[in-house]
Amino acid sequence: MQLELELNGRQRTFEAAKSDILLDVLRRNGYTGPKRGCDTGACGMCTVQIDGEPAMSCVTPVANVAGATVETIEGLGTQDDLHPIQRAFVDNSALQCGFCIPGMIMRSKALLEENPDPTETEVREALEDNLCRCTGYKKIVEAVLDAADRMDGESPAATDGGERIPSRTPSTCPREEGRSR
Ligand code: FES
Ligand code: FES
């Protein structure tokens, strides 16, 4: 079959078998950002966005995405111009081996599109299906909260691993009192 979809903002057509799984088609065609971890929908490392929703591409039949809008980590920033979420992960040292990070970032992006100002609890709940064997999650959660601030103010940020640039002056808003940094 010919699989037609909008991938990272471009109309694309791929050759695929009806029985193919989205992760296989993506990786076969050079989109290796989505990682293969468990291959059973249990680890989140293959997470992409389908029609704006986070989805495990390792358990998504290609037939389900014909005509859909799919976004992978390759659709975000480039090495020289990172997406704010990618910058926040770098600046907060929120990665070690990095294998889980594309899935984490795509899941975080979906969260922030739906909820631009999440609490720490909401971030943890949103990421609970994405496993990480290295970081202990604390820095990942901090990175997502930082990304929410950056996307709110679209402020510049260091990408050299240096000191984090505060994105805005401390707020006195009571909604933010419960946020733990
Ligand atoms: S590889 Fe898809 S959920 Fe683990
Ligand atoms: S950074 Fe290694 S699995 Fe998450």
Side-chain angles (χ1 to χ4, degrees):
M1 64 176 277
Q2 289 208 318
L3 171 68
E4 294 184 17
L5 73 169
E6 184 185 312
L7 179 59
N8 297 336
R10 289 177 55 202
Q11 235 18 77
R12 299 296 308 268
T13 303
F14 298 121
E15 283 298 329
K18 281 187 181 158
S19 58
D20 273 346
I21 293 300
L22 177 59
L23 178 62
D24 295 322
V25 175
L26 289 172
R27 293 186 62 86
R28 221 162 47 218
N29 287 280
Y31 295 85
T32 55
K35 301 304 181 205
R36 189 187 307 280
C38 64
D39 228 7
T40 61
C43 75
M45 295 188 185
C46 62
T47 302
V48 300
Q49 278 182 273
I50 300 176
D51 292 333
E53 297 294 324
M56 313 274 197
S57 60
C58 75
V59 289
T60 301
V62 286
N64 290 13
V65 298
T69 297
V70 175
E71 189 165 9
T72 69
I73 189 87
E74 287 92 347
L76 273 66
T78 63
Q79 191 77 26
D80 295 329
D81 183 21
L82 296 176
H83 184 280
I85 302 175
Q86 293 170 309
R87 279 189 272 156
F89 270 69
V90 171
D91 294 342
N92 285 276
S93 303
L95 61 159
Q96 290 189 31
C97 81
F99 200 75
C100 70
I101 299 301
M104 288 284 184
I105 287 178
M106 295 311 292
R107 177 80 60 171
S108 302
K109 181 170 173 288
L111 165 69
L112 295 178
E113 285 168 354
E114 187 184 319
N115 178 3
D117 191 21
T119 63
E120 178 180 344
T121 300
E122 288 169 335
V123 172
R124 288 186 181 277
E125 285 174 358
L127 296 181
E128 66 186 4
D129 290 339
N130 288 58
L131 305 183
C132 174
R133 298 297 183 208
C134 307
T135 67
Y137 301 99
K138 183 172 183 293
K139 286 180 178 292
I140 289 175
V141 172
E142 288 172 352
V144 178
L145 292 170
D146 188 19
D149 283 348
R150 292 171 190 235
M151 292 169 77
D152 188 28
E154 288 297 334
S155 61
T159 55
D160 59 0
E163 197 172 330
R164 223 174 97 185
I165 297 174
S167 60
R168 62 186 184 194
T169 52
S171 168
T172 54
C173 173
R175 289 177 60 210
E176 298 192 359
E177 281 181 5
R179 223 182 228 191
S180 158
R181 297 288 173 141

